[in-house]
Amino acid sequence: MSKVDKGLFWSRLKRIFDHWAKGGKPWGGGADAIIVNYGKANENVLYSRTSAIHLFLFGYEFPDTVLVLTKGKLTILCSSSKAKYLDSLGSENRGIKLEIMIRNKEDKNAANFAKLLKAIKGSNQGSLLGWIPSETQNGKFIARWNQAWQENGMKQVNVSMGFGRVISVKDAAAQKNTERAAKFAASVFKKKLIEDVLDALEENKVISHQKLSDDAAECFNDPIKWDKSGNLAPDDIEICYDPLIMSGGRYDLKASATLDDKKLDTGKEAVILCRMGARYRSFCSNLARTYFIEPSVEMEKNYGVLTQVFLACKKIIQPQSKISKIYETALGTIKRANRSLLPHFVGCGFGMGLEFREKNLVLNQKNHQQLKSGMVLNFSIGFKDLKDRKSGKPYAMQIADTYLVTSEEADGHKLLTVVRRGWENVAFRGNGDEDEDEDEELDTKQQAATLSHYERRRQNREKEERATREAAVREKEMRQLAKRKQEELLRRLAKDGVQDNFNEEKKFDYSKINSYKSVSDFPSQARPNQLYVDIRKETILVPIFKQLVPFHISTIRTVSKQEEGGNLILRLNFATPNMKFKSRNDYIHAVPQNKHFIQELTFKAPAGHHDNLERSYFGIQELRKRVKNRIKEKEDKRSIVVQKELRVLRGGGAKLRDLSVRPPLTRRKSTGVLEAHQNGLRFSSHRDGIKIDIIYENIKHAVFQKADNMSTEVRMHFELVNPIMAGKKKTNFFQFYVEVVQSSQDLGHGSRWHDRDGVLEEQEEKRRKRRYNKLFFDFKNRVSQISEKFSKDRDMKIEYEEPFKQIAFKGVPGKEQVSIIPTQNLLIALDDKPPFVLTIDEVDLAVMERCRFGLREFDITFVFKDFSKAPLSISAIPKKKLDSIKNWLRTLNILHYERRDAVNWKKLMNTIREDLKLFAENGGWLGYFDPQNDDDESDEEDPASEFSSPDEEEYSEEDDEYESASDEVDEEDDDD
């Protein structure tokens, strides 16, 4: 037992005192003091007003406890163990005092009783004592206390109704608990109880009411299985009563009905009444439905009246409505619809909460209370003791739901138990044997719905069984494929040895960082008490104790400035050990860790003297940018593989004119000619003086994508084996395209047929699309022919990939959502920037992540056969595409798995790279993603769980710009 909720206790206690202060009949005409006696716990009594008061205040029941309410004070007499849970409440709040008295066995509580009686007599007039006489409390302690207070001479009055009025209006916490109870009850009712009943009908299974009830009640032992919201505390959900199933002529519509052990009636004109209640943190909910098997016309008509009454009364459920009006509306509706049903009417329910049936809130003709926002109703309409005129078969029918009266809804109420109650949902018919007369009287549409119910269920079941079989086959295939990959990896490791170059670090001599040989080399412009940025030496001179100290740009992690009270503050953060870097910092790894480091320097200049700090700040930023660009350009040139010389085809080959190119080669949009030659392609633009050669041998993939209804461009994309320079930057792709429709134009299906110009414009667009699609298509074929004709190796023929748009899906491979389209060997999104291209043959594993109930999207991550590469992820894929993507991966024979959670791929891949041989020997991917690891019945922890839900590491934005010092020093050596 945890501590009592202090906030709820005092707010609810305040409500009791405020309501009591109003007096009136509910409080016995104005009781001067009130006692609430709770004796020994009685397991046979599930609901009582006394236990409801305890649950309302404390959230728990405290047997052998006395509550005494006097003017402005609550006194609790209880055992020392119970007092421990109440100590945290304090002694006074909201103008109300609280005193906790400990029971004393030595004098049999004589002193405690005397003190309580004195407080009772001294409260207000001391003449009327309120209590709850309808409930018998047992136990020696309560017996002695009853004897003591009954001899004090005060007149006794019943205050049960007063407490009922307070408890009947639920606060926000109680409403939330009631809603959770109702949702759980509805879930078990639909997914378990009714499904079991329907299974018995379909299979002609003999089953008892008791067995159906027990199976439904068993769901409360594993609530997580039936509630996927994650908002339910499993220990707090309870059953209100044993689920009730009634059929075969015996029906009891009272709240106190009990279960029998009769067999379920599944014959013709059988009526099955099902009722279930659940409570969460002691707040109750309830629902009931009636189901008909091959019903008669009379049953259908009577059920129509029942639903008509239910809907008419439901409209009255709103704040400020009189309870009696609900009952009167029900009677009026029955009189108008079928007066003969009046003697059979049972309704209209009662209030619910901590008590399953709140006695002061019964929905009948005599109750003239007004409904209030926060009340919870078990709204129930039923007809009992009915008998079918034709067959003479007795039956009954009932609909019950849990409603919250609330002013926040437009209708004044909120349905909490959402279970369908329409005739088409509760009436089931077989495939024949119905009386022809009845069939003629059934509405055609309704008849089709009811007659096809069994067929729909049969088809759904077959579909589920087929899906289960397919899943088992797919799982078996994946296990076999995973084992083959494991064996292949083991063979490769045995042949080549264990590779240990994943985490190779470049050896670096930090002593090479040498900005100046001596102080005399400092720039003459530098001043002792000012910062100075030496662009040529890539060094910042910092004044420390009136001496200039040089810091190479590689040692500075971030620089920032801010103004405070007119002063300008410049802050330099330096790279130090134990810092988190997005990329490896050679300087920090190379410097001996036992050295002393400066982590931060701060400089402040008063108003009017900001010039030096401002100039230094922008100088450092500019220097960092220059160094970064220089290093990147050098790395690009270093990684470039020199292509063979282009062999020009005399007389000219196939050409495409007026093409644009990506990535852009100049600051403005370049257009030129793409021409096919003997061993490669050449793009040239005479206007911009550009010439780019692409050798066939360096083309990894070629993709042709034509313009269609949803595309503004016809394009040809070339993915390169080795990157080449495009201007001053390297690129691993080129994309040549023509924009056949203005991109700002609406490409939807909205027509412009209302004006002649619009018609001509649309016709011109279609003509341009056809023309350029044909030009690109012919060029594609000519390139394939030329590459095959002049290549010594016939395998060097350029084969173009064409997108399969029928199996395209939306996703986010980069920063924006695009259409991702499979081809024969690729997965592409050429509209993305930069274009997304994934080579299928390079993929070792695909994992669908976040495939859980309730999410509309999932992610997919591709792991490459080259484990040194980082996995590639596509996020925000619509859930409806999951099956088609799995089928596509299956046809490509790619190992794939589903997971409920996201995977920390960085951590997982680092673990694998640390010992690749151990990874292979432990089963490879089976060791992490084997579906058997996710079996609910397994007690073993999923091996991949430690890599789920990665902890995000935060870095500053400037870490992206941070470069290693080794490249900078190497550049200096080259200059020397």
Side-chain angles (χ1 to χ4, degrees):
M1 184 188 295
S2 58
K3 295 289 185 182
V4 176
D5 189 314
K6 184 177 179 179
L8 278 180
F9 169 80
W10 285 108
S11 65
R12 291 175 175 178
L13 183 62
K14 176 67 172 172
R15 283 175 55 192
I16 291 175
F17 272 88
D18 289 346
H19 206 283
W20 176 27
K22 296 176 183 178
K25 185 178 178 180
W27 296 99
D32 297 309
I34 297 173
I35 58 173
V36 180
N37 306 327
Y38 198 158
K40 289 288 185 184
N42 188 350
E43 295 181 358
N44 296 323
V45 179
L46 188 58
Y47 304 102
S48 70
R49 182 59 50 88
T50 302
S51 66
I53 295 169
H54 276 244
L55 292 169
F56 180 71
L57 288 173
F58 311 119
Y60 304 98
E61 297 175 60
F62 290 117
D64 285 332
T65 300
V66 173
L67 308 183
V68 177
L69 287 78
T70 53
K71 185 178 180 180
K73 184 177 181 180
L74 168 63
T75 306
I76 304 175
L77 177 59
C78 61
S79 65
S80 58
S81 59
K82 295 183 181 69
K84 292 179 181 178
Y85 295 104
L86 304 173
D87 285 342
S88 60
L89 297 177
S91 59
E92 187 173 358
N93 198 314
R94 307 191 184 201
I96 303 172
K97 295 180 179 180
L98 173 64
E99 181 181 359
I100 300 172
M101 299 171 57
I102 308 299
R103 284 164 43 192
N104 186 354
K105 294 182 180 180
E106 294 182 0
D107 65 350
K108 297 183 180 181
N109 290 294
N112 287 331
F113 292 164
K115 185 176 180 180
L116 289 177
L117 292 173
K118 182 179 179 181
I120 291 171
K121 294 290 286 184
S123 176
N124 296 314
Q125 303 300 319
S127 59
L128 292 179
L129 177 61
W131 71 306
I132 303 173
S134 58
E135 297 176 357
T136 303
Q137 303 294 337
N138 300 315
K140 294 181 181 180
F141 167 70
I142 288 297
R144 294 193 189 98
W145 165 241
N146 286 338
Q147 182 180 358
W149 68 263
Q150 286 173 356
E151 294 175 353
N152 71 348
M154 292 180 69
K155 183 179 179 181
Q156 301 162 15
V157 292
N158 189 349
V159 295
S160 179
M161 185 181 293
F163 281 110
R165 294 275 180 94
V166 177
I167 295 174
S168 64
V169 179
K170 280 71 181 175
D171 52 28
Q175 292 177 26
K176 186 179 292 185
N177 291 335
T178 305
E179 187 168 356
R180 289 175 180 173
K183 285 184 177 180
F184 183 79
S187 176
V188 175
F189 192 90
K190 290 184 292 187
K191 298 176 183 178
K192 180 60 179 175
L193 181 57
I194 300 308
E195 284 299 313
D196 285 353
V197 170
L198 294 177
D199 287 344
L201 296 178
E202 285 186 0
E203 301 169 10
N204 292 321
K205 186 191 300 182
V206 178
I207 189 170
S208 68
H209 298 161
Q210 183 70 55
K211 173 62 176 171
L212 288 168
S213 177
D214 291 343
D215 289 346
E218 187 65 27
C219 298
F220 285 77
N221 295 329
D222 186 16
I224 300 301
K225 181 179 179 181
W226 305 96
D227 178 82
K228 304 296 184 182
S229 66
N231 297 324
L232 209 64
D235 295 337
D236 292 336
I237 190 74
E238 299 176 275
I239 200 165
C240 285
Y241 53 85
D242 290 337
L244 291 176
I245 299 91
M246 307 177 199
S247 66
R250 180 189 177 278
Y251 304 94
D252 186 353
L253 306 189
K254 295 178 181 178
S256 57
T258 56
L259 183 70
D260 62 29
D261 199 22
K262 282 189 174 184
K263 302 302 180 184
L264 182 71
D265 183 6
T266 59
K268 185 178 180 180
E269 296 183 358
V271 176
I272 303 171
L273 199 155
C274 301
R275 205 157 75 198
M276 174 180 282
R279 62 177 187 165
Y280 184 70
R281 291 179 179 166
S282 302
F283 286 91
C284 300
S285 65
N286 189 56
L287 76 152
R289 293 290 183 270
T290 308
Y291 297 92
F292 302 86
I293 314 302
E294 301 181 19
S296 65
V297 175
E298 180 186 330
M299 290 178 178
E300 179 187 354
K301 289 180 178 179
N302 289 341
Y303 189 81
V305 176
L306 183 75
T307 54
Q308 189 178 346
V309 174
F310 190 91
L311 295 175
C313 294
K314 188 183 71 168
K315 295 178 182 178
I316 311 300
I317 301 177
Q318 52 185 311
Q320 309 308 318
S321 291
K322 282 189 176 183
I323 290 176
S324 57
K325 189 177 179 182
I326 299 174
Y327 197 89
E328 291 167 359
T329 301
L331 294 178
T333 306
I334 296 171
K335 288 177 182 178
R336 289 190 297 273
N338 187 350
R339 183 178 291 269
S340 64
L341 291 174
L342 274 175
H344 305 278
F345 175 59
V346 178
C348 292
F350 43 79
M352 279 195 311
L354 295 168
E355 297 175 276
F356 181 73
R357 183 176 184 271
E358 295 179 339
K359 298 175 184 178
N360 62 298
L361 208 58
V362 178
L363 307 184
N364 58 26
Q365 206 167 9
K366 299 178 182 179
N367 194 341
H368 300 292
Q369 288 187 68
Q370 286 187 336
L371 293 176
K372 296 180 180 179
S373 183
M375 288 183 172
V376 174
L377 305 180
N378 171 41
F379 178 51
S380 171
I381 302 292
F383 294 135
K384 66 177 181 177
D385 301 332
L386 297 171
K387 185 175 289 188
D388 189 72
R389 295 177 184 176
K390 194 170 184 178
S391 65
K393 198 167 186 177
Y395 67 97
M397 57 182 67
Q398 184 181 38
I399 301 173
D401 275 311
T402 302
Y403 278 91
L404 170 66
V405 183
T406 174
S407 56
E408 295 180 2
E409 297 288 335
D411 296 332
H413 59 256
K414 181 179 181 181
L415 173 64
L416 303 184
T417 46
V418 183
V419 178
R420 295 181 184 274
R421 57 174 176 266
W423 178 253
E424 66 277 8
N425 302 115
V426 301
F428 308 117
R429 294 181 178 272
N431 295 323
D433 299 332
E434 289 83 11
D435 291 339
E436 293 181 3
D437 295 339
E438 293 177 5
D439 288 343
E440 290 175 359
E441 293 185 38
L442 281 173
D443 177 77
T444 306
K445 184 176 179 181
Q446 186 171 306
Q447 179 181 344
T450 55
L451 286 175
S452 62
H453 176 78
Y454 283 132
E455 181 63 21
R456 290 199 309 270
R457 280 183 55 81
R458 184 186 63 77
Q459 291 176 356
N460 290 339
R461 176 160 292 182
E462 288 179 353
K463 184 178 179 181
E464 291 176 1
E465 291 174 352
R466 186 164 58 251
T468 302
R469 289 195 299 271
E470 290 177 357
V473 171
R474 182 182 287 111
E475 182 179 332
K476 183 178 179 181
E477 290 178 356
M478 291 302 104
R479 288 182 64 81
Q480 293 173 348
L481 182 58
K483 288 181 179 179
R484 288 201 301 272
K485 287 186 174 291
Q486 178 195 10
E487 293 168 358
E488 179 185 334
L489 181 58
L490 287 170
R491 285 195 299 271
R492 192 169 80 235
L493 292 175
K495 179 180 178 181
D496 302 334
V498 179
Q499 58 191 90
D500 56 356
N501 59 346
F502 288 126
N503 298 313
E504 271 190 358
E505 291 191 8
K506 194 173 6 175
K507 292 184 179 179
F508 172 66
D509 183 3
Y510 75 95
S511 63
K512 287 185 177 181
I513 300 180
N514 191 355
S515 298
Y516 307 101
K517 293 181 179 179
S518 66
V519 177
S520 60
D521 293 335
F522 285 3
S524 58
Q525 300 91 336
R527 296 290 179 265
N529 290 323
Q530 292 185 353
L531 284 166
Y532 183 79
V533 181
D534 189 345
I535 299 293
R536 191 175 66 85
K537 290 293 187 178
E538 297 177 357
T539 300
I540 294 89
L541 292 169
V542 178
I544 300 178
F545 297 120
K546 298 184 179 181
Q547 295 293 326
L548 291 176
V549 180
F551 288 90
H552 194 271
I553 190 66
S554 62
T555 64
I556 295 180
R557 187 185 185 211
T558 61
V559 57
S560 62
K561 68 169 184 174
Q562 65 184 61
E563 290 190 14
E564 290 183 3
N567 297 322
L568 181 66
I569 297 177
L570 182 71
R571 184 173 288 108
L572 301 177
N573 290 311
F574 295 90
T576 59
N578 300 323
M579 270 189 176
K580 292 181 179 179
F581 292 90
K582 209 165 190 177
S583 58
R584 184 173 58 87
N585 185 293
D586 290 335
Y587 166 72
I588 288 302
H589 283 79
V591 174
Q593 302 298 293
N594 58 355
K595 297 289 185 181
H596 291 284
F597 291 83
I598 295 176
Q599 182 170 343
E600 180 184 306
L601 288 176
T602 303
F603 298 89
K604 182 169 69 173
H609 298 80
H610 295 174
D611 291 348
N612 178 249
L613 294 188
E614 290 277 9
R615 189 167 54 251
S616 300
Y617 173 76
F618 290 109
I620 294 172
Q621 295 286 53
E622 178 64 23
L623 179 56
R624 287 165 63 86
K625 184 177 178 180
R626 287 190 186 185
V627 171
K628 176 187 174 182
N629 292 337
R630 175 173 54 76
I631 293 172
K632 189 175 187 308
E633 186 176 340
K634 181 182 176 183
E635 286 181 346
D636 290 347
K637 290 180 179 179
R638 186 184 298 166
S639 62
I640 294 299
V641 176
V642 179
Q643 295 188 112
K644 293 180 180 179
E645 186 176 346
L646 183 73
R647 298 198 302 272
V648 178
L649 184 64
R650 293 184 179 181
K655 293 182 180 180
L656 278 177
R657 301 181 184 277
D658 300 324
L659 300 184
S660 301
V661 61
R662 294 189 184 102
L665 304 178
T666 60
R667 292 186 176 180
R668 63 180 180 178
K669 187 177 181 180
S670 299
T671 57
V673 178
L674 182 65
E675 188 173 4
H677 293 282
Q678 293 185 25
N679 67 332
L681 302 168
R682 170 170 287 174
F683 175 79
S684 57
S685 174
H686 295 295
R687 186 186 68 177
D688 298 318
I690 295 172
K691 185 176 70 174
I692 297 291
D693 294 339
I694 306 173
I695 305 303
Y696 295 143
E697 292 179 359
N698 197 32
I699 296 177
K700 184 178 181 181
H701 299 294
V703 182
F704 164 59
Q705 188 175 35
K706 64 182 181 180
D708 54 22
N709 293 334
M710 300 304 294
S711 174
T712 63
E713 299 174 353
V714 54
R715 57 171 70 99
M716 199 164 285
H717 181 94
F718 298 99
E719 198 75 10
L720 306 181
V721 177
N722 297 305
I724 63 177
M725 295 299 293
K728 292 185 178 181
K729 298 180 180 180
K730 71 173 181 179
T731 181
N732 60 350
F733 77 93
F734 278 101
Q735 194 177 105
F736 304 99
Y737 65 97
V738 171
E739 195 169 1
V740 295
V741 181
Q742 293 298 319
S743 59
S744 61
Q745 184 176 300
D746 182 13
L747 297 179
H749 296 290
S751 178
R752 295 168 290 186
W753 293 105
H754 59 278
D755 65 281
R756 180 175 177 80
D757 292 339
V759 173
L760 295 175
E761 190 176 345
E762 284 193 1
Q763 291 176 347
E764 174 61 20
E765 288 172 4
K766 291 179 180 178
R767 188 191 65 78
R768 281 171 56 83
K769 284 183 180 180
R770 288 195 298 269
R771 175 171 172 263
Y772 278 105
N773 282 342
K774 187 176 186 306
L775 286 174
F776 272 68
F777 182 79
D778 293 342
F779 180 80
K780 169 182 80 75
N781 292 337
R782 287 287 293 132
V783 170
S784 296
Q785 294 170 4
I786 293 171
S787 63
E788 184 179 24
K789 179 179 178 181
F790 290 97
S791 175
K792 296 179 181 178
D793 185 357
R794 295 299 178 185
D795 293 336
M796 288 305 299
K797 176 184 176 182
I798 300 299
E799 297 285 353
Y800 281 82
E801 305 272 348
E802 292 196 28
F804 303 145
K805 293 193 175 182
Q806 298 83 351
I807 53 176
F809 58 91
K810 295 286 187 180
V812 183
K815 294 182 179 180
E816 61 183 18
Q817 188 180 63
V818 291
S819 182
I820 301 170
I821 312 171
T823 69
Q824 186 176 359
N825 300 298
L826 304 173
L827 190 63
I828 61 172
L830 300 185
D831 293 326
D832 203 12
K833 298 177 183 179
F836 170 80
V837 178
L838 174 69
T839 305
I840 300 300
D841 288 341
E842 296 177 356
V843 173
D844 192 50
L845 171 74
V847 179
M848 278 74 75
E849 306 172 61
R850 299 192 306 114
C851 298
R852 63 169 64 191
F853 178 81
L855 296 182
R856 296 183 179 180
E857 297 174 335
F858 69 98
D859 307 333
I860 184 170
T861 299
F862 296 95
V863 181
F864 296 100
K865 294 176 181 177
D866 181 0
F867 288 168
S868 63
K869 291 183 178 180
L872 189 149
S873 294
I874 303 173
S875 60
I877 304 172
K879 190 74 169 287
K880 63 183 179 181
K881 291 291 184 179
L882 179 61
D883 290 336
S884 62
I885 290 176
K886 287 195 295 186
N887 291 334
W888 172 66
L889 293 170
R890 188 180 179 187
T891 58
L892 295 173
N893 209 26
I894 293 179
L895 182 63
H896 59 276
Y897 297 104
E898 281 185 55
R899 283 192 62 81
R900 287 171 49 81
D901 302 314
V903 178
N904 186 341
W905 287 105
K906 181 178 180 181
K907 184 177 179 181
L908 176 57
M909 295 307 297
N910 285 339
T911 302
I912 292 172
R913 291 167 187 155
E914 286 176 2
D915 197 334
L916 191 57
K917 186 176 181 181
L918 179 64
F919 164 73
E921 290 174 348
N922 287 344
W925 296 118
L926 271 177
Y928 291 100
F929 299 110
D930 187 356
Q932 292 183 358
N933 293 332
D934 296 327
D935 190 350
D936 291 336
E937 296 178 1
S938 175
D939 293 332
E940 296 181 6
E941 185 180 355
D942 180 0
S945 62
E946 62 176 300
F947 303 104
S948 299
S949 301
D951 294 326
E952 297 182 0
E953 296 182 1
E954 296 183 358
Y955 303 92
S956 67
E957 294 180 0
E958 297 191 19
D959 281 336
D960 291 333
E961 302 180 2
Y962 195 91
E963 301 292 341
S964 62
S966 58
D967 295 309
E968 300 169 17
V969 175
D970 289 343
E971 179 67 22
E972 291 176 7
D973 293 342
D974 294 341
D975 293 341
D976 294 341

